[in-house]
Amino acid sequence: LTLDFFTIFIATKQYFAVMASTRSFADVKDVIISAHKNVGLQDKIEFYNTWAENYEQDVAVLDYRAPLLAAECITKNFKGDKKRAIILDVACGTGLVSKQLKKNGFHHFVGVDGSAAMLNLARKTGLYQDLKQCILGRDSLLVQEGKLYDIVVMVGALSIGQVPVTVIRELWQATKPGGYVCMTTRGNEDNREYKAELENVLRTMEEEKRWSCVAVTEVEEWERAVAEQESGYIQGAVYLYQRTK
């Protein structure tokens, strides 16, 4: 018995559709672990391109709370007009952070991400006035020459194996004087060294009077642990700074 190519294609597509709708924590854990094995820049981009379609349901399985927590921190501390504020969503992915901010009364979003597939899904949300592909650490973060933003937010990408902490200064450069920069990172064992390096940059820039610290929130239940040596939930942190010059 032989099957023509079209029949095989349809059967394969249906199989993966079923698998995608029934992904377990073990499935998602395997995906996350495989991400850390992709150390090359191009490998990372291809990984996120492949992951894009399943990304939102996978992070829901992980009980990933960073987008919600970052949006809450911004909303609580932002002193300007939410309806007029322009937000730069860095490493925007499919738009999870901006979706939360939209619920909280913000309306204007610009997004950048390294993955074309993630950007395509973000575009379908209708949230963003502009979306650009930007390889953080390689490409300039300034989406429009001379354009500065009321809020710059970066959730999820500031961790080991993702983007270098040198990006922090670019976040500051993209923010208006008086504007806010919100960042998150994980606090689990694998990310401790990166987190310490990140916090050192934050302190140094505060000492340089480039910004002031508005809020730091350490969270015990950030997302479900996936590393073999960990169980339960890992920790995470939300940082909010206001540019002073």
Side-chain angles (χ1 to χ4, degrees):
L1 179 66
T2 60
L3 295 174
D4 61 43
F5 175 80
F6 180 74
T7 303
I8 293 172
F9 172 77
I10 294 299
T12 303
K13 193 172 182 179
Q14 290 174 339
Y15 169 77
F16 280 109
V18 172
M19 287 298 292
S21 65
T22 58
R23 287 162 78 89
S24 66
F25 176 64
D27 296 328
V28 177
K29 182 176 178 178
D30 288 341
V31 170
I32 303 300
I33 291 173
S34 71
H36 295 302
K37 295 177 182 178
N38 296 317
V39 294
L41 180 59
Q42 194 57 44
D43 288 338
K44 285 286 184 188
I45 294 170
E46 288 304 319
F47 169 80
Y48 281 102
N49 283 336
T50 303
W51 193 22
E53 286 295 335
N54 292 322
Y55 176 75
E56 290 198 14
Q57 66 175 6
D58 283 1
V59 296
V61 171
L62 286 176
D63 195 17
Y64 178 56
R65 303 178 62 211
L68 172 64
L69 294 168
E72 287 179 347
C73 183
I74 291 169
T75 304
K76 178 180 178 180
N77 293 283
F78 183 68
K79 304 303 182 185
D81 184 346
K82 291 190 290 185
K83 292 183 179 179
R84 295 172 62 89
I86 301 177
I87 299 171
L88 177 62
D89 187 353
V90 182
C92 64
T94 60
L96 292 179
V97 181
S98 289
K99 286 178 185 177
Q100 293 292 338
L101 287 167
K102 176 74 172 180
K103 292 177 183 178
N104 292 350
F106 294 92
H107 292 272
H108 303 288
F109 304 97
V110 173
V112 297
D113 199 275
S115 165
M118 290 283 191
L119 287 171
N120 285 337
L121 291 174
R123 191 169 289 110
K124 291 178 181 179
T125 67
L127 285 169
Y128 295 92
Q129 284 72 58
D130 192 15
L131 285 163
K132 298 287 186 183
Q133 187 170 19
C134 174
I135 311 300
L136 296 169
R138 189 194 75 180
D139 302 334
S140 172
L141 185 58
L142 294 178
V143 179
Q144 300 172 13
E145 192 64 35
K147 178 72 173 180
L148 299 178
Y149 299 88
D150 299 286
I151 301 168
V152 175
V153 57
M154 187 172 185
V155 172
L158 287 169
S159 63
I160 187 169
Q162 298 294 316
V163 300
V165 295
T166 52
V167 168
I168 302 284
R169 289 186 180 271
E170 292 190 59
L171 303 182
W172 171 83
Q173 289 173 340
T175 309
K176 291 179 179 178
Y180 297 80
V181 182
C182 183
M183 302 152 282
T184 72
T185 196
R186 295 181 288 110
N188 62 321
E189 188 62 36
D190 288 349
N191 203 53
R192 292 278 171 81
E193 187 174 336
Y194 183 98
K195 184 173 185 282
E197 185 181 1
L198 183 152
E199 290 177 345
N200 182 58
V201 173
L202 299 181
R203 284 192 300 270
T204 298
M205 292 178 63
E206 191 168 15
E207 290 167 1
E208 295 170 352
K209 302 189 184 306
R210 298 183 185 276
W211 59 19
S212 60
C213 181
V214 176
V216 176
T217 306
E218 298 282 350
V219 180
E220 288 297 318
E221 294 190 351
W222 188 256
E223 66 182 356
R224 295 174 71 181
V226 298
E228 293 298 333
Q229 69 273 22
E230 297 172 332
S231 61
Y233 282 75
I234 65 169
Q235 298 174 329
V238 181
Y239 309 91
L240 186 66
Y241 281 76
Q242 185 172 24
R243 178 170 173 170
T244 53
K245 68 175 183 179

